[in-house]
């Protein structure tokens, strides 16, 4: 299922429900329908940036734990698949960008309407 985010501060963005549900839950919002008011945008930005930073640290830790020499056993296709991961920061960039624009212009972000 898709979730469409709208704000007069930025262009509409569409995300998969399963990709944004946990983020909206972190913000105390329902995935089906909701609003992040202009007053709530600053806190939402802080929470999402902290989530992205924690994800980056976790990825770095996992990469340091994994043995680099183990990749030698993989062929080029398997290596590419292993590295073709969409990071949380890449996935959330459009939403975070919309929140920043909404915060700057003091506009709400709506979805499910």
């Amino acid at each position: 299922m898709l979730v469409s985010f709208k704000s007069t501060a930025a262009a509409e963005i569409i995300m998969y429900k399963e990709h944004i549900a946990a983020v909206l839950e972190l913000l105390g919002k329902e995935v089906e329908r909701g609003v992040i008011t202009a007053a709530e945008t600053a806190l939402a930005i802080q929470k999402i940036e902290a989530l992205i930073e924690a994800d980056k640290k976790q990825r770095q830790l996992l990469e340091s734990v994994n043995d680099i020499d183990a990749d030698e056993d993989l062929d080029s296709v398997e290596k590419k698949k292993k590295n073709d991961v969409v990071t949380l920061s890449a996935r959330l960039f459009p939403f975070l960008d919309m929140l920043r624009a909404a915060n700057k212009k003091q506009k709400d972000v709506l979805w499910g309407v």
Side-chain angles (χ1 to χ4, degrees), residues 38-93:
E40 295 173 322
T41 56
L43 182 59
I45 291 166
Q46 289 176 351
K47 286 183 177 183
I48 293 172
E49 286 175 342
L51 181 66
I52 289 170
E53 190 60 34
D55 180 66
K56 285 181 183 179
K57 287 180 182 179
Q58 183 180 16
R59 285 184 182 279
Q60 288 172 347
L61 181 62
L62 287 174
E63 288 174 6
S64 67
V65 169
N66 289 338
D67 185 17
I68 296 172
D69 294 332
D71 283 352
E72 292 177 3
D73 297 336
L74 302 176
D75 65 21
S76 62
V77 174
E78 290 172 329
K79 284 181 184 179
K80 181 165 175 31
K81 284 181 184 178
K82 182 179 177 185
N83 293 324
D84 280 351
V85 176
V86 179
T87 63
L88 185 64
S89 60
R91 194 174 305 280
L92 292 180
F93 177 79

Side-chain angles (χ1 to χ4, degrees), residues 10-40:
E12 179 180 354
I13 60 170
I14 298 171
M15 300 181 74
Y16 285 107
K17 180 180 177 179
E18 59 266 16
H19 294 162
I20 196 67
V23 175
L24 292 175
E25 184 178 312
L26 173 73
L27 300 176
K29 304 294 181 179
E30 297 290 327
V31 72
E32 299 301 325
R33 178 180 288 182
V35 61
I36 298 173
T37 64
E40 295 173 322

Side-chain angles (χ1 to χ4, degrees), residues 97-108:
D97 196 41
M98 176 183 270
L99 286 171
R100 287 179 178 144
N103 181 265
K104 184 177 180 179
K105 295 180 181 180
Q106 287 300 292
K107 302 292 183 181
D108 297 341

